[in-house]
Amino acid sequence: MNIPLIIGIVVVVVVLLLAVLSIRGRNSSVVEDRLGRYADFQQLPRIEGEDRKVTKKEKESALSKRMNASLEKSSFGARYKTELARADLNLTIAEFAALHVITAIGLGFVCYFVLFTGQFVMAILGAAVGMFIPRFYVSFKKSQRLRKFEEQMPDLLSLWVNSLRSGYSTMQSLDAIARESGDPSGPEFKRVIMEVQIGLPQETALAHLLDRMPSEDLDLIITAVNIQREVGGNLAEILETIGHTIRERIKLKGEIRVLTAQGRITGYLISFLPIALGLFLNAVNPNYVGRLFSDRFCGWPMIALALIMIGLGTAIIQRIVDIEI
């Protein structure tokens, strides 16, 4: 094994990691730290007393600012700026892009030097898988956070209705929800309160909340609040009716999730069992399975076809068990 090459690879990965750590959004304002990524901070008024002196570190963050500005103009940056906000991950677009490079290089080298020594094809496959690891993590965090938010929504609506019936205004009720609710409901409604306090209209602040939490139930609630604000009516009674509908929908979603659990687990097994079995056989008897990776005219097309068919099968099974309510 080439020791100098391994040392060079480790140095490259460490340098990339240090680059990611240095490309932090240190020059973001306090308003941006409070409100997240959705308000147009260039047009927001500054809060009195929060002006900060420009330090040497902030001057050095000009590179980070330029990189983020260039990446945000691309389709990748525009999309994952929204995804990172929904997952509540404190990462800039430049950091997220650098993570793709680091995980791809790291997993590719691990496959080449540790798991499948000297097999260049497995290194390429490992790098391809590593490229998607940050995206899978963001998607997992986003779905987990959204599901938790939807589970908290019935209790949230009960608190909102009780606050309105106690004589609170809409904003006072939202403030009570922000103080009494746990994560993620509490922090999200705190952002709404902060946005309104610095001058954004209530409709805009609620629209930002819906952008961060793309839920059909939340969309229904915000629509009801906006209509009541324009034409009037008993908001407490409206929210109580919506809360009953949301409880029934959550109950139905739970029943469907239980009924489709077997199908989802079967899909996972069918998808990952051939890959796991192939990796196991390659580790036990590399001379036997290694022919697939060494034969470019027969083995490589077979691997590509197998991966394509596994991907199609996984997508079809997920579409079958994904029942919309």
Side-chain angles (χ1 to χ4, degrees):
M1 186 177 294
N2 195 343
I3 301 299
L5 179 60
I6 297 177
I7 295 175
I9 292 169
V10 173
V11 170
V12 171
V13 174
V14 171
V15 170
L16 289 173
L17 182 59
L18 292 176
V20 171
L21 294 177
S22 64
I23 305 175
R24 297 294 300 180
R26 291 181 300 232
N27 61 332
S28 60
S29 65
V30 178
V31 175
E32 182 176 356
D33 294 334
R34 287 183 176 182
L35 302 183
R37 299 176 174 87
Y38 275 90
D40 188 359
F41 301 106
Q42 301 299 328
Q43 300 177 358
L44 292 181
R46 294 185 62 85
I47 298 178
E48 185 179 356
E50 290 189 343
D51 293 333
R52 300 184 302 168
K53 294 182 180 179
V54 179
T55 62
K56 183 177 180 180
K57 289 184 178 180
E58 289 176 340
K59 291 181 180 179
E60 294 174 351
S61 64
L63 176 62
S64 170
K65 186 176 181 180
R66 287 196 297 268
M67 292 183 65
N68 282 308
S70 60
L71 287 174
E72 287 176 2
K73 294 178 181 178
S74 63
S75 58
F76 171 84
R79 175 185 175 187
Y80 278 97
K81 183 179 180 181
T82 304
E83 297 296 312
L84 290 172
R86 290 175 177 175
D88 196 29
L89 295 176
N90 189 21
L91 293 174
T92 63
I93 301 300
E95 290 173 339
F96 189 61
L99 281 178
H100 284 74
V101 178
I102 291 176
T103 54
I105 293 176
L107 190 57
F109 284 138
V110 167
C111 291
Y112 188 79
F113 291 103
V114 179
L115 299 178
F116 311 99
T117 306
Q119 295 186 9
F120 185 69
V121 178
M122 295 304 298
I124 294 177
L125 292 176
V129 173
M131 180 68 71
F132 289 95
I133 288 177
R135 303 189 184 193
F136 291 151
Y137 179 73
V138 170
S139 178
F140 170 75
K141 290 289 292 183
K142 181 187 70 172
S143 60
Q144 187 181 42
R145 193 164 182 264
L146 180 59
R147 183 179 302 172
K148 188 175 181 180
F149 181 82
E150 290 180 341
E151 290 175 354
Q152 294 175 348
M153 201 168 295
D155 296 332
L156 182 151
L157 281 175
S158 297
L159 179 59
W160 197 343
V161 170
N162 293 332
S163 299
L164 291 173
R165 288 177 173 172
S166 299
Y168 284 12
S169 65
T170 301
M171 293 308 303
Q172 289 174 335
S173 301
L174 294 179
D175 184 59
I177 292 172
R179 286 185 283 102
E180 299 295 334
S181 301
D183 185 69
S185 300
E188 289 298 333
F189 278 94
K190 285 180 182 178
R191 290 187 181 185
V192 174
I193 298 298
M194 289 178 181
E195 290 183 0
V196 174
Q197 287 177 347
I198 64 174
L200 285 180
Q202 177 180 313
E203 293 82 359
T204 304
L206 291 175
H208 291 169
L209 173 62
L210 184 59
D211 288 336
R212 295 190 300 269
M213 290 292 175
S215 169
E216 294 181 358
D217 298 332
L218 181 61
D219 189 13
L220 182 63
I221 295 171
I222 293 176
T223 302
V225 172
N226 291 334
I227 293 175
Q228 188 273 338
R229 184 180 177 87
E230 293 179 2
V231 303
N234 191 341
L235 182 59
E237 186 175 335
I238 296 172
L239 293 179
E240 186 176 16
T241 304
I242 294 175
H244 176 72
T245 304
I246 291 175
R247 286 188 181 90
E248 294 298 324
R249 182 181 295 179
I250 291 175
K251 181 179 177 181
L252 184 58
K253 284 182 178 179
E255 294 177 355
I256 292 176
R257 191 177 298 116
V258 171
L259 294 175
T260 58
Q262 182 178 358
R264 286 185 283 109
I265 295 174
T266 302
Y268 296 148
L269 289 176
I270 293 176
S271 302
F272 295 106
L273 185 60
I275 299 175
L277 183 60
L279 296 177
F280 175 75
L281 292 177
N282 185 74
V284 173
N285 191 357
N287 294 327
Y288 175 69
V289 183
R291 296 181 180 179
L292 284 173
F293 306 106
S294 60
D295 190 349
R296 299 183 179 181
F297 298 100
C298 183
W300 289 15
M302 291 179 64
I303 294 174
L305 181 62
L307 293 176
I308 292 173
M309 294 180 68
I310 289 174
L312 290 175
T314 303
I316 292 172
I317 293 175
Q318 292 300 320
R319 289 295 298 271
I320 291 174
V321 299
D322 186 15
I323 302 174
E324 297 184 359
I325 301 176

